[in-house]
Amino acid sequence: KIIERKGLLKEQGMSGGQQNKDEEVVAMVNRMNELKEKQDPGSTKKEKDSKKDAKKKTPLSQEEQKEYAKLKDEYEIYKAKCRTEFGYTNKDLKADPDIQEMEAKLSVFQKRS
């Protein structure tokens, strides 16, 4: 019924958003959701809210900013030291476990800042 109603509204020149706001379509969708909820409780609840909370960026505190800057400096110094003292190539640097660990920590900070 909903598809038929939307088809009719489309023929009348309504956009998709306008069709979704049509009183009859809204009533039919609400009824359908009620029936779904009766059949499987919790199925129509939105999980988007919990996902949004998990993805929210929490700004870095001043202490974390200092830690991030310190780690970034240590990373650059260690990388330069590996190149000059040990003759590491880019390939060697990527394989180094200490550098990988530092990069992982840095990426966590970068995602939040």
Side-chain angles (χ1 to χ4, degrees):
K1 288 183 176 182
I2 296 173
I3 295 171
E4 292 170 5
R5 178 69 182 159
K6 283 189 167 189
L8 179 68
L9 294 173
K10 188 172 186 171
E11 287 176 14
Q12 294 175 1
M14 287 185 145
S15 70
Q18 291 171 325
Q19 293 171 19
N20 292 339
K21 292 177 186 174
D22 181 69
E23 291 176 22
E24 285 184 47
V25 172
V26 169
M28 287 188 272
V29 169
N30 286 337
R31 178 69 179 142
M32 187 174 67
N33 285 337
E34 288 171 16
L35 295 172
K36 278 185 185 177
E37 192 65 30
K38 279 184 186 176
Q39 182 182 2
D40 185 15
S43 64
T44 58
K45 298 245 191 281
K46 293 188 178 181
E47 294 178 22
K48 291 179 183 176
D49 295 338
S50 61
K51 288 182 182 178
K52 283 182 184 175
D53 292 343
K55 288 185 180 180
K56 271 188 185 174
K57 290 183 178 181
T58 52
L60 298 175
S61 67
Q62 284 193 343
E63 192 175 297
E64 289 173 323
Q65 287 175 353
K66 288 178 186 175
E67 186 179 336
Y68 173 63
K70 181 181 173 189
L71 181 63
K72 199 171 183 180
D73 288 343
E74 286 176 13
Y75 171 74
E76 293 300 328
I77 291 168
Y78 181 72
K79 204 170 167 182
K81 184 178 178 182
C82 286
R83 279 204 174 117
T84 56
E85 290 183 25
F86 306 118
Y88 276 29
T89 62
N90 282 339
K91 188 175 181 180
D92 296 330
L93 289 172
K94 287 181 182 176
D96 186 78
D98 292 333
I99 287 189
Q100 289 175 350
E101 183 182 330
M102 287 182 195
E103 286 175 343
K105 289 178 183 177
L106 284 171
S107 70
V108 170
F109 281 117
Q110 288 171 341
K111 286 177 185 173
R112 290 186 49 204
S113 62

mmCIF file of all heavy atoms in Angstrom, residues 48-57:
data_model
loop_
_atom_site.group_PDB
_atom_site.id
_atom_site.type_symbol
_atom_site.label_atom_id
_atom_site.label_comp_id
_atom_site.label_asym_id
_atom_site.label_seq_id
_atom_site.Cartn_x
_atom_site.Cartn_y
_atom_site.Cartn_z
ATOM 1 N N LYS A 48 21.526 4.053 16.165
ATOM 2 C CA LYS A 48 22.399 5.124 15.696
ATOM 3 C C LYS A 48 22.916 5.973 16.855
ATOM 4 O O LYS A 48 24.035 6.431 16.840
ATOM 5 C CB LYS A 48 21.665 6.028 14.697
ATOM 6 C CG LYS A 48 21.374 5.341 13.392
ATOM 7 C CD LYS A 48 20.633 6.275 12.456
ATOM 8 C CE LYS A 48 20.271 5.585 11.159
ATOM 9 N NZ LYS A 48 19.479 6.421 10.293
ATOM 10 N N ASP A 49 22.061 6.199 17.855
ATOM 11 C CA ASP A 49 22.463 7.049 18.969
ATOM 12 C C ASP A 49 23.687 6.494 19.681
ATOM 13 O O ASP A 49 24.617 7.225 19.992
ATOM 14 C CB ASP A 49 21.306 7.208 19.968
ATOM 15 C CG ASP A 49 20.118 7.943 19.364
ATOM 16 O OD1 ASP A 49 20.334 8.679 18.364
ATOM 17 O OD2 ASP A 49 18.997 7.789 19.872
ATOM 18 N N SER A 50 23.678 5.198 19.947
ATOM 19 C CA SER A 50 24.814 4.608 20.655
ATOM 20 C C SER A 50 26.066 4.644 19.786
ATOM 21 O O SER A 50 27.164 4.817 20.280
ATOM 22 C CB SER A 50 24.502 3.174 21.078
ATOM 23 O OG SER A 50 24.254 2.369 19.953
ATOM 24 N N LYS A 51 25.904 4.487 18.474
ATOM 25 C CA LYS A 51 27.050 4.548 17.577
ATOM 26 C C LYS A 51 27.616 5.960 17.532
ATOM 27 O O LYS A 51 28.823 6.146 17.490
ATOM 28 C CB LYS A 51 26.661 4.090 16.163
ATOM 29 C CG LYS A 51 26.432 2.601 16.070
ATOM 30 C CD LYS A 51 26.095 2.200 14.658
ATOM 31 C CE LYS A 51 25.810 0.709 14.574
ATOM 32 N NZ LYS A 51 25.423 0.306 13.222
ATOM 33 N N LYS A 52 26.739 6.955 17.544
ATOM 34 C CA LYS A 52 27.211 8.337 17.515
ATOM 35 C C LYS A 52 28.025 8.651 18.758
ATOM 36 O O LYS A 52 29.048 9.316 18.693
ATOM 37 C CB LYS A 52 26.027 9.311 17.429
ATOM 38 C CG LYS A 52 25.426 9.411 16.057
ATOM 39 C CD LYS A 52 24.306 10.427 16.032
ATOM 40 C CE LYS A 52 23.610 10.471 14.689
ATOM 41 N NZ LYS A 52 22.464 11.365 14.699
ATOM 42 N N ASP A 53 27.557 8.178 19.916
ATOM 43 C CA ASP A 53 28.271 8.435 21.163
ATOM 44 C C ASP A 53 29.669 7.820 21.127
ATOM 45 O O ASP A 53 30.623 8.403 21.607
ATOM 46 C CB ASP A 53 27.499 7.871 22.363
ATOM 47 C CG ASP A 53 26.205 8.636 22.614
ATOM 48 O OD1 ASP A 53 26.070 9.761 22.079
ATOM 49 O OD2 ASP A 53 25.337 8.115 23.330
ATOM 50 N N ALA A 54 29.765 6.637 20.551
ATOM 51 C CA ALA A 54 31.055 5.953 20.496
ATOM 52 C C ALA A 54 32.024 6.666 19.562
ATOM 53 O O ALA A 54 33.228 6.649 19.777
ATOM 54 C CB ALA A 54 30.866 4.515 20.043
ATOM 55 N N LYS A 55 31.493 7.297 18.518
ATOM 56 C CA LYS A 55 32.351 7.946 17.533
ATOM 57 C C LYS A 55 32.664 9.399 17.876
ATOM 58 O O LYS A 55 33.496 10.016 17.226
ATOM 59 C CB LYS A 55 31.693 7.898 16.147
ATOM 60 C CG LYS A 55 31.691 6.514 15.543
ATOM 61 C CD LYS A 55 31.137 6.554 14.147
ATOM 62 C CE LYS A 55 31.121 5.191 13.513
ATOM 63 N NZ LYS A 55 30.579 5.214 12.166
ATOM 64 N N LYS A 56 31.966 9.964 18.853
ATOM 65 C CA LYS A 56 32.190 11.374 19.180
ATOM 66 C C LYS A 56 33.641 11.610 19.545
ATOM 67 O O LYS A 56 34.252 10.842 20.269
ATOM 68 C CB LYS A 56 31.322 11.792 20.371
ATOM 69 C CG LYS A 56 29.967 12.282 19.977
ATOM 70 C CD LYS A 56 29.252 12.846 21.168
ATOM 71 C CE LYS A 56 27.851 13.232 20.785
ATOM 72 N NZ LYS A 56 27.081 13.644 21.944
ATOM 73 N N LYS A 57 34.155 12.681 19.024
ATOM 74 C CA LYS A 57 35.529 13.053 19.356
ATOM 75 C C LYS A 57 35.507 13.822 20.664
ATOM 76 O O LYS A 57 34.800 14.806 20.797
ATOM 77 C CB LYS A 57 36.120 13.939 18.268
ATOM 78 C CG LYS A 57 36.385 13.221 16.977
ATOM 79 C CD LYS A 57 37.042 14.162 15.999
ATOM 80 C CE LYS A 57 37.367 13.468 14.714
ATOM 81 N NZ LYS A 57 38.020 14.348 13.768
#
